[in-house]
């Protein structure tokens, strides 16, 4: 199972992970945010819902994602763009969107 970890991490933590990876130690898939506020800004409730409908669904158009969510295409398009920018979603060669992971793990400490 391919899992992505969304985390709040300091520069030092990222540097340590980079060094371990450079030494050949597998690190897994991480997307790091500087603050919890930034994480929650990027991953809103509607965007979580989008990830849920895309998990295991394979590539789809934005229109199809909007249909499954019963939402406006323009609103879903905005959410998709935000998730593409941070690397949570990918675009296929055919222009479809895909969530390339089987699961999401969120890791942060307040």
């Amino acid at each position: 199972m391919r899992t992505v970890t969304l985390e709040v991490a300091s520069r030092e933590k990222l540097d340590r992970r980079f060094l371990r990876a450079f030494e050949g130690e597998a690190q897994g898939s991480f997307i790091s945010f500087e603050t919890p506020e930034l994480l929650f800004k990027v991953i809103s409730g509607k965007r979580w819902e989008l990830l849920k409908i895309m998990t295991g669904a394979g590539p789809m158009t934005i229109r199809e994602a909007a249909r499954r969510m019963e939402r406006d295409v323009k609103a879903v398009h905005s959410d998709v763009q935000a998730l593409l920018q941070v690397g949570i979603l990918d675009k296929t060669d055919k222009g479809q969107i895909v969530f390339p992971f089987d699961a999401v793990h969120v890791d942060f400490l307040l």
Side-chain angles (χ1 to χ4, degrees), residues 8 33-43 108 110:
V8 175
F33 297 87
E34 198 170 336
T35 65
E37 293 82 11
L38 185 55
L39 170 66
F40 293 129
K41 180 179 179 184
V42 172
I43 307 295
F108 68 93
L110 290 178

Side-chain angles (χ1 to χ4, degrees), residues 3-98:
T3 301
V4 62
T5 300
L6 307 179
E7 68 173 356
V8 175
S10 66
R11 175 43 105 187
E12 293 78 25
K13 184 175 182 179
L14 295 175
D15 289 345
R16 286 192 303 270
R17 185 180 306 122
F18 174 79
L19 291 174
R20 289 193 309 268
F22 188 72
E23 293 169 353
E25 184 181 328
Q27 299 299 301
S29 298
F30 286 85
I31 298 175
S32 301
F33 297 87
E34 198 170 336
T35 65
E37 293 82 11
L38 185 55
L39 170 66
F40 293 129
K41 180 179 179 184
V42 172
I43 307 295
S44 66
K46 293 293 185 184
R47 292 176 187 165
W48 276 119
E49 186 181 336
L50 176 59
L51 293 179
K52 283 173 35 178
I53 67 116
M54 293 191 70
T55 300
M60 68 179 70
T61 63
I62 294 174
R63 183 173 301 285
E64 175 61 18
R67 186 192 65 74
R68 291 182 185 195
M69 295 178 69
E70 299 178 356
R71 289 184 62 208
D72 177 68
V73 174
K74 189 173 180 180
V76 174
H77 182 270
S78 294
D79 290 340
V80 165
Q81 293 308 309
L83 296 173
L84 285 168
Q85 284 181 342
V86 297
I88 295 173
L89 294 182
D90 288 334
K91 240 183 185 179
T92 68
D93 294 338
K94 295 181 180 180
Q96 294 179 313
I97 54 171
V98 64

